[in-house]
Amino acid sequence: MKTKSFLELSDLKAVAAAAEAEALKNNWAVTIAIVDDGGHLLWLQRLDGAPAVSAHIAPAKANTAALGRRESKVYEDIVNGGRTAFLSAPDLKGLLEGGVPIMKDGQCIGAVGVSGVKSTEDAQIARAGIAAIGL
């Protein structure tokens, strides 16, 4: 039987704090979502001034990154490359850059999704959060 790593509350707080710090450092109003390996929402934080819709988009990006075990940008690139049929993939709604999986020992243990600024900036914030727990 294998041992499985998982995110603890202290990990969520560290990721969220680092992601928030990255956003505030750049004056970016965003929503930060953290999910477990099954895409279930564990943390949602909407910074002052973040668009209301970002509270829906950030969890969707995180969910997609966790379920797919890869950055949500991969799916955006697939669709932009002309494979529009991929839009019908079940349960993948955050097909935009900004969802980043949290990988430990080659396994996905969750993901961070950010929404509110340019997609590359969303991903930058997500990566900064993940870096706070050394992954």
Side-chain angles (χ1 to χ4, degrees):
M1 184 174 293
K2 295 183 178 183
T3 302
K4 179 180 174 180
S5 296
F6 59 91
L7 294 168
E8 296 178 330
L9 182 58
S10 61
D11 299 319
L12 300 176
K13 289 179 178 181
V15 169
E20 178 183 2
E22 181 70 14
L24 294 176
K25 176 179 84 173
N26 292 289
N27 295 312
W28 293 335
V30 298
T31 296
I32 301 158
I34 306 171
V35 300
D36 66 12
D37 62 330
H40 305 100
L41 188 62
L42 301 173
W43 188 278
L44 183 68
Q45 181 174 351
R46 185 172 157 208
L47 302 183
D48 293 341
V53 72
S54 68
H56 294 277
I57 296 171
K61 289 180 179 184
N63 179 276
T64 294
L67 292 178
R69 307 320 198 225
R70 60 188 55 131
E71 291 201 25
S72 56
K73 183 182 185 332
V74 169
Y75 301 109
E76 180 179 6
D77 291 344
I78 288 170
V79 173
N80 287 341
R83 192 165 180 213
T84 56
F86 198 82
L87 292 170
S88 67
D91 296 325
L92 297 181
K93 298 175 184 136
L95 303 177
L96 302 167
E97 183 175 8
V100 180
I102 303 171
M103 305 296 291
K104 182 173 180 8
D105 301 325
Q107 299 297 314
C108 180
I109 61 170
V112 179
V114 179
S115 178
V117 287
K118 293 178 186 175
S119 290
T120 54
E121 297 165 347
D122 289 341
Q124 176 183 329
I125 295 166
R127 286 189 201 99
I130 294 167
I133 56 172
L135 300 175

